Amino acid sequence: MYNSKMKIYDFLIIGAGSAGCSMAYFLQKENKSIALIDREGIAGGASGAAGAFLSPLPGKKNPYNSLVNAALDYSLDFYEKLLPSAVDKKGVLRVADTNFDEEKLSKNSIRCEYLSSEKLHYISKNFMEIDGYFYENAAVVEPVQICRELTKESDFYKRDVKELHFKDGIYTIDEIKAKNIILAQGVGSSLVEIPYMKISPIFGLRVDVKTTTKVPFNIHKSISVSTNKHDGTLSIGATQQRHDDEKIECLTTCDKCAYYLESDEMQTATLLKQAEELIKLEDLEVVKIYKGARATIKSYFPLIGKVVNYESSLKKYPSIKNGTKIPPEMLEYYPNMYVINALGSRGFVYGPYLAKILAQNILYNEPIPKEVSTEKLFYKAARKD
């Protein structure tokens, strides 16, 4: 590790989940020096607890599923080149439910194959009386292995960051100094005021199990069951509960949070029961339970770009509140500060794809798609103010 008291990094990234680690990778590939900070360690929070299922989003083509599916195509190829041993790509069986009915699963632009109950029983006698649509372009990845590989050329510091200082063009946290800063904290408290980025944590649960059942591919209904992975386990995961109506500030990881601490047994039992409604898992042994709070915003779109200074921009252009269109380049921004956040339950789908876009924007001024830009959220919030 470099002597941080003497070195000024090109970039300081706060948050070592899928977003922060992906940013570190793409910036380091451009020969930038990187300091990465996280209070829990690399993939120590929600990203490490993620089921890390990479699946297409079916349905009639729209801006949201187009973004998800473009990110999926890019990221799957990226992971297979980065660390093949951490990727199990065997496709996914989507079973109809209230959110995705038969029409959504079958009538879309993504190629899929209908598998009847009879066909599934031919593949494995352990399938329950279900049918569904098989999508080939899907996988499950090992989140911690991926994040460690992404950051192996970066300097990591385990710190609980409370304050950020900026002076003479340099950001400082403790003794660590950098010219640019990237906020990738997920549900953690932001170090600057970003009122237009209202993060809602969504609680997720993952249970890793061992079983003698051979699961041929990922299965998804209201929960996800992975295929058997390289390490002999399989993952069962679900998004369980939103915090929208709870006044909760995430100060730690979910496995240490009093909000969930006493509910392991019930949550795990429910998840395993739902899995057994899809496929019979014989000789089942629970290996480990993971919990994590995934960061989302109301629109469910992720967010990347320069951090707009909300108060200064409105003070300079108060007519924005009335709908006046002020070009993004005329807004006020925090100097050399960027954000990548709100990746939600698709952190490993979005991570490399969005990090590549943001890195190209920072270094070469390549455009950021409007639907994921900080400016879009800023204008929307300002006009409601």
Side-chain angles (χ1 to χ4, degrees), residues 76-334:
L76 261 177
D77 181 66
F78 173 82
Y79 292 134
E80 287 187 298
K81 292 174 180 175
L82 177 77
L83 193 64
S85 62
V87 182
D88 288 281
K89 184 183 177 183
K90 297 179 183 176
V92 62
L93 178 74
R94 293 291 302 254
V95 180
D97 60 15
T98 53
N99 290 324
F100 284 89
D101 57 21
E102 294 277 345
E103 185 174 0
K104 270 190 178 180
L105 292 177
S106 62
K107 296 180 180 178
N108 59 78
S109 59
I110 309 169
R111 188 167 60 87
C112 62
E113 177 187 358
Y114 174 70
L115 297 180
S116 66
S117 179
E118 291 77 11
K119 284 185 179 179
L120 289 172
H121 285 151
Y122 179 78
I123 295 169
S124 171
K125 65 179 179 61
N126 287 67
F127 276 110
M128 306 306 284
E129 293 299 322
I130 61 172
D131 61 357
Y133 293 84
F134 179 75
Y135 297 83
E136 186 177 357
N137 199 35
V140 60
V141 301
E142 290 293 345
V144 177
Q145 290 180 33
I146 290 289
C147 285
R148 286 176 177 166
E149 184 69 17
L150 289 169
T151 57
K152 65 182 183 181
E153 301 298 331
S154 302
D155 288 348
F156 177 73
Y157 301 86
K158 189 174 181 179
R159 304 284 173 88
D160 188 3
V161 180
K162 300 294 186 184
E163 290 184 322
L164 177 65
H165 301 282
F166 181 74
K167 184 179 180 181
D168 298 330
I170 299 296
Y171 284 101
T172 304
I173 292 176
D174 298 334
E175 78 284 6
I176 307 164
K177 302 178 186 297
K179 301 171 189 175
N180 302 272
I181 192 157
I182 298 175
L183 305 176
Q185 297 161 272
V187 299
S189 301
S190 180
L191 295 175
V192 297
E193 191 70 25
I194 313 179
Y196 51 88
M197 188 180 75
K198 295 182 179 179
I199 294 292
S200 295
I202 298 183
F203 170 64
L205 177 67
R206 165 185 149 206
V207 179
D208 280 1
V209 303
K210 287 184 177 180
T211 175
T212 54
T213 299
K214 300 302 179 186
V215 181
F217 35 69
N218 296 346
I219 311 166
H220 180 81
K221 192 178 180 184
S222 56
I223 64 143
S224 294
V225 180
S226 81
T227 185
N228 307 85
K229 299 185 289 184
H230 289 301
D231 64 0
T233 67
L234 60 81
S235 294
I236 305 169
T239 298
Q240 295 285 351
Q241 187 171 355
R242 291 185 67 98
H243 282 338
D244 299 62
D245 299 323
E246 299 291 341
K247 301 300 181 183
I248 292 177
E249 182 181 7
C250 287
L251 300 174
T252 185
T253 51
C254 287
D255 59 312
K256 301 172 187 175
C257 179
Y259 192 81
Y260 299 115
L261 204 55
E262 303 302 324
S263 55
D264 273 6
E265 188 174 335
M266 181 180 67
Q267 292 165 352
T268 302
T270 299
L271 196 59
L272 295 179
K273 181 176 181 294
Q274 290 174 301
E276 291 277 0
E277 291 170 358
L278 300 171
I279 189 167
K280 183 173 177 55
L281 301 174
E282 300 182 57
D283 304 311
L284 189 68
E285 175 191 347
V286 173
V287 177
K288 192 168 183 180
I289 299 168
Y290 301 84
K291 298 178 180 182
R294 293 84 181 262
T296 67
I297 56 177
K298 191 174 181 180
S299 70
Y300 286 98
F301 277 91
L303 180 71
I304 62 173
K306 295 190 291 184
V307 180
V308 181
N309 187 320
Y310 188 81
E311 296 299 334
S312 295
S313 293
L314 289 185
K315 184 176 180 180
K316 188 173 183 180
Y317 305 108
S319 61
I320 291 176
K321 293 183 178 182
N322 300 321
T324 301
K325 294 182 179 180
I326 302 297
E329 61 270 17
M330 294 177 64
L331 297 176
E332 296 289 304
Y333 294 88
Y334 289 98

